[in-house]
Amino acid sequence: MLFLRKSVSSMKGLVWTLLFVMLFSSFTVFASQGEISSRDQIASQYKWKLEHIYPTDGDWEKDYKKLEEMIPKMDTYKGKLAQTDQLIAAFKLREDMLRISDKLTVYAGMKSDEDNANDTYGAMVDRADGITAKLKAAAAFIEPEILKFPEDTLKDYMQKAELKDYSLYFDNLLRTKAHRLSETEEALLALAGEMAAAPENVYTSFRYVDRRIGEIEDEEGKKVKVSPATYSGMLEHPNRDMRKKAFEAEFTSFKESINVLAAALSGEVKSNVFFAKARKYDSALEAALAPDNIQPEVYNSLIEAVNNNLEPLHRYVSLRKKLLGIGDKVHFYDMYVSMVPSVASDIKYEDGQQMMLEALNALGEEYISDLKKGLSSGWIDVYETQNKYSGAYSWGAYDTHPYVLLNYNGTLDAVSTLAHEMGHALNTYYSNQHQPYAKAEYPIFTAEVASTTNEALMLDYLIKNAKTKQEKMYLINSYLEQIRGSIYTQIMYAEFEKEIHDAVESGEALNATFLNETWGSLMKKYYGEDFEVDELAKVWWSRIPHFYWNFYVYKYATGLSAGIILSDKIATEGKSARDAYLNFLKAGGSDYPVEMLKAVGVDLSNPEPVEKALVKFNDLLDEFEALMQE
């Protein structure tokens, strides 16, 4: 199953992908602050069709009962896996169960996300997670039993035609053999997955249900409600006082519960450290990178590469101060407003679709045809509604088409988010079409490439076709913000994540004071002397759900870096680069991610792609300044 959000407990075992672009996207404009629509006020063509998965909740219940009845059958294969036919049968049963589990989780999760206050679907999410944990516990004997076989036997299995779908699976078993545990221990860890989800459950409940942001006064003295989806738009308001009020309302809603949030994040980090130690890894970082066959040195070198290239970001902050006419220092709430007047603030959804299709035309007829199919076939939930999950993501199971959640608000950023999420969706669509279940689930590491390649193509296209100097400057500013948000900011997140895990592994306590001060120091280092680190801004870490996803964020940086390189190759090399890229999308999880990207000319085992992306940032900054002086 491919998830561009994260299920309550599944992230502890399965590889999922998720993104919430709107949480850190940075070039929205001030959107309408009217009352948020109820779901029944939205026309059907703007809602995803979850009935394509289950026509009714009753059909979901039937599959749930079917899965309950299947789970005990796993016991019949214990101790028999040395027989090839029994091994194949066990694999088949586990796959059949996982495919049902995936559908149960996807349906319940997305129904819940339509309205986070709906306890019915929240309970179904819990039940889906619970039965998945039971499934995994029932099948936990498989790997320990297989690992008792001689190494030559495992290598022989990799060559068998009837087991060809599992060739990478067996290679992974051999590669990680030292970190596999006994059957009993594996079963215990599988059961612990549900318990280990508690920190994220606490955070999610607080953020999306219990948190109260309140209202602020607009320029005319009218009360304006700050919502998760409109907050980012408020940060783009040209009136600095309005931006500050929105920032204070949003961040205060987290500060008021900062000790609870610190405890939740501490619990998450301790959980990661526990699982790493249980599996005999040297660190939580090593354990998190192991599924992608990536060494900690790669992660650390990315942080070092960005730290060595902070001067362009400092220059950007100083330029922002100059263009916005800020007399003191730049504050957090000054970092998201465009440095030039907006040229596209009310883009109808249908017009945004057309913009995207034109920009992605370089990907060829096959891609565009399938993209149009997704836009018109009930894949997408478009608009914000009451209690709907904020942000944006793509999700789907092997036996469903992909789905995309948006909170479209008519901004250029919203159009970019559409392109981003449809990049994920098409990656899922092609992977499921061309790979067996065992090799269809692509890793997060490559997932971000599919989305950011779309964004890079779109921005390059729009800049190239800009009709005026102002429009071109606005679009360059947007691209600068994309790189800042997805590389500089995400690597700052990655550095924070490493520091807090290092602290716990060294015996330090993660309390609110430690987390705030650690975050404040990183902000000062990344944004430079012209940036003011407000005390309230130090709670920024508490707003980031990605810290509950176990060293996830660095993949945004590698993804955009690869996307920038690939978009350039597709635009300049034409059919050969395009065909290679489509083959990459269709490859799913059939190889290790670094190897898959090497096949299309991007080597992410070293920091060179990130460094090239930061050169792009510097070049765009130069071009922007040159346009200013014309």
Side-chain angles (χ1 to χ4, degrees):
M1 172 168 48
L2 298 170
F3 196 15
L4 300 157
R5 184 169 91 75
K6 186 173 61 142
S7 169
V8 174
S9 64
S10 302
M11 193 65 175
K12 302 298 179 183
L14 295 176
V15 178
W16 301 77
T17 43
L18 158 108
L19 45 127
F20 295 76
V21 173
M22 301 289 279
L23 294 175
F24 55 84
S25 55
S26 43
F27 44 94
T28 45
V29 297
F30 188 54
S32 171
Q33 302 302 318
E35 286 296 316
I36 299 170
S37 298
S38 63
R39 191 158 187 84
D40 59 8
Q41 292 175 306
I42 303 298
S44 61
Q45 66 264 33
Y46 301 118
K47 294 188 238 182
W48 54 23
K49 297 188 184 304
L50 300 187
E51 60 268 28
H52 291 175
I53 307 175
Y54 293 112
T56 68
D57 292 352
D59 294 294
W60 186 93
E61 294 289 352
K62 289 177 183 177
D63 254 3
Y64 185 92
K65 186 174 188 338
K66 179 180 179 181
L67 182 55
E68 276 188 318
E69 294 170 351
M70 293 172 71
I71 290 174
K73 296 177 182 178
M74 283 303 305
D75 280 345
T76 62
Y77 298 104
K78 283 185 178 180
K80 301 177 182 178
L81 300 186
Q83 304 169 45
T84 303
D85 62 333
Q86 295 295 295
L87 178 64
I88 293 171
F91 280 169
K92 176 67 166 57
L93 176 59
R94 181 171 65 175
E95 177 179 318
D96 289 345
M97 291 194 299
L98 284 170
R99 287 169 72 162
I100 295 173
S101 165
D102 290 350
K103 288 177 63 181
L104 293 172
T105 301
V106 167
Y107 180 83
M110 289 193 293
K111 290 294 287 187
S112 178
D113 287 346
E114 291 178 356
D115 181 358
N116 277 284
N118 188 322
D119 292 339
T120 298
Y121 292 111
M124 287 170 66
V125 169
D126 289 341
R127 290 172 63 200
D129 287 335
I131 200 166
T132 298
K134 291 178 183 177
L135 184 167
K136 290 161 64 178
F141 72 92
I142 294 178
E143 275 75 28
E145 189 168 327
I146 291 174
L147 286 170
K148 292 177 183 178
F149 301 162
E151 189 170 314
D152 288 344
T153 301
L154 292 180
K155 290 179 178 178
D156 181 56
Y157 280 157
M158 292 170 64
Q159 307 303 319
K160 287 182 178 292
E162 59 265 45
L163 288 168
K164 64 179 180 179
D165 292 351
Y166 296 92
S167 58
L168 189 64
Y169 170 85
F170 285 119
D171 189 70
N172 262 312
L173 284 181
L174 286 169
R175 183 175 59 82
T176 61
K177 186 174 182 179
H179 304 288
R180 299 281 178 168
L181 307 179
S182 69
E183 177 184 338
T184 301
E185 291 167 328
E186 289 288 350
L188 283 173
L189 288 188
L191 289 172
E194 194 170 6
M195 177 179 64
E200 187 193 1
N201 290 348
V202 170
Y203 179 82
T204 300
S205 294
F206 166 78
R207 182 183 180 96
Y208 298 107
V209 180
D210 293 338
R211 183 169 66 103
R212 296 293 178 264
I213 308 176
E215 297 178 328
I216 62 175
E217 285 190 359
D218 66 12
E219 296 161 291
E220 299 175 353
K222 296 178 180 177
K223 295 291 185 180
V224 175
K225 183 173 177 58
V226 181
S227 74
T230 59
Y231 165 69
S232 59
M234 291 182 180
L235 284 188
E236 280 271 336
H237 200 286
N239 185 307
R240 194 184 193 203
D241 187 54
M242 282 295 296
R243 299 198 303 270
K244 183 179 180 182
K245 287 179 182 178
F247 156 74
E248 289 175 345
E250 170 75 2
F251 275 58
T252 297
S253 73
F254 287 89
K255 184 179 180 181
E256 289 173 343
S257 300
I258 198 65
N259 292 314
V260 171
L261 295 172
L265 185 56
S266 176
E268 175 70 18
V269 173
K270 288 177 180 178
S271 171
N272 295 339
V273 172
F274 164 77
F275 282 101
K277 286 181 177 179
R279 293 198 176 280
K280 303 173 186 177
Y281 285 101
D282 291 336
S283 67
L285 175 61
E286 183 186 16
L289 301 182
D292 290 332
N293 197 21
I294 294 171
Q295 299 302 312
E297 290 75 21
V298 173
Y299 188 98
N300 294 331
S301 69
L302 290 173
I303 294 174
E304 182 180 1
V306 171
N307 273 260
N308 289 337
N309 288 277
L310 290 175
E311 190 279 330
L313 182 57
H314 295 171
R315 182 159 67 102
Y316 177 68
V317 173
S318 298
L319 179 63
R320 180 170 282 277
K321 175 181 177 180
K322 177 181 177 181
L323 286 180
L324 295 178
I326 296 172
D328 52 345
K329 291 190 176 185
V330 175
H331 292 248
F332 175 90
Y333 48 83
D334 298 315
M335 289 301 298
Y336 297 89
V337 60
S338 178
M339 294 189 294
V340 293
S342 170
V343 295
S345 60
D346 189 18
I347 306 168
K348 292 181 179 179
Y349 178 62
E350 287 76 11
D351 293 336
Q353 289 180 328
Q354 189 57 38
M355 287 172 62
M356 176 183 67
L357 291 167
E358 291 174 5
L360 301 183
N361 191 56
L363 290 172
E365 292 181 8
E366 179 184 3
Y367 191 94
I368 295 299
S369 175
D370 291 324
L371 188 56
K372 288 179 178 178
K373 180 193 301 182
L375 293 172
S376 62
S377 302
W379 291 17
I380 307 172
D381 205 74
V382 180
Y383 294 115
E384 179 185 17
T385 52
Q386 294 171 14
N387 299 316
K388 180 179 172 180
Y389 202 93
S390 65
Y393 66 68
S394 175
W395 196 6
Y398 190 76
D399 297 304
T400 75
H401 59 68
Y403 286 90
V404 167
L405 179 142
L406 301 174
N407 281 274
Y408 188 85
N409 62 3
T411 64
L412 178 61
D413 177 55
V415 179
S416 181
T417 298
L418 173 63
H420 186 119
E421 299 304 339
M422 290 306 291
H424 284 302
L426 267 292
N427 194 179
T428 298
Y429 182 71
Y430 287 136
S431 178
N432 290 349
Q433 278 191 325
H434 293 274
Q435 297 297 328
Y437 180 84
K439 291 183 176 181
E441 187 175 319
Y442 50 79
I444 299 170
F445 196 90
T446 58
E448 296 309 324
V449 177
S451 55
T452 53
T453 297
N454 276 10
E455 286 190 271
L457 280 168
M458 187 165 183
L459 281 168
D460 282 333
Y461 171 85
L462 293 174
I463 290 171
K464 182 179 179 180
N465 290 278
K467 296 178 178 64
T468 65
K469 171 184 169 181
Q470 181 184 348
E471 183 178 345
K472 189 170 188 178
M473 290 180 68
Y474 178 79
L475 290 164
I476 291 173
N477 182 92
S478 298
Y479 209 158
L480 287 167
E481 279 296 286
Q482 176 70 351
I483 296 174
R484 180 179 76 86
S486 292
I487 298 181
Y488 279 119
T489 299
Q490 298 307 312
I491 292 298
M492 185 177 80
Y493 290 1
E495 190 167 351
F496 175 78
E497 197 168 7
K498 183 177 186 301
E499 287 193 20
I500 61 177
H501 280 81
D502 286 348
V504 168
E505 289 170 340
S506 299
E508 294 186 56
L510 294 188
N511 54 39
T513 300
F514 177 88
L515 293 166
N516 286 352
E517 292 308 311
T518 301
W519 191 266
S521 296
L522 287 172
M523 289 175 69
K524 187 63 179 176
K525 178 173 71 170
Y526 273 74
Y527 289 112
E529 291 301 317
D530 279 334
F531 185 84
E532 181 68 35
V533 181
D534 298 300
E535 282 301 311
L536 187 56
K538 290 180 180 179
V539 308
W540 185 3
W541 61 266
S542 66
R543 297 184 62 252
I544 312 303
H546 303 63
F547 294 144
Y548 294 85
W549 308 338
N550 198 12
F551 293 100
Y552 177 100
V553 293
Y554 84 100
K555 297 169 187 178
Y556 284 118
T558 56
L560 179 59
S561 300
I564 288 172
I565 292 171
L566 288 170
S567 66
D568 286 343
K569 290 171 70 71
I570 291 166
T572 58
E573 297 176 16
K575 186 177 185 303
S576 60
R578 181 185 69 219
D579 290 347
Y581 177 67
L582 290 180
N583 287 335
F584 160 76
L585 296 182
K586 295 171 183 177
S590 59
D591 201 350
Y592 295 117
V594 169
E595 300 307 314
M596 290 169 60
L597 284 164
K598 282 181 181 178
V600 287
V602 181
D603 185 359
L604 285 172
S605 65
N606 64 67
E608 183 181 357
V610 171
E611 291 170 342
K612 285 183 176 179
L614 297 183
V615 169
K616 175 99 173 180
F617 182 89
N618 195 61
D619 290 344
L620 287 167
L621 194 55
D622 287 343
E623 186 177 0
F624 187 91
E625 290 181 318
L627 287 167
M628 282 174 52
Q629 295 167 9
E630 286 183 3

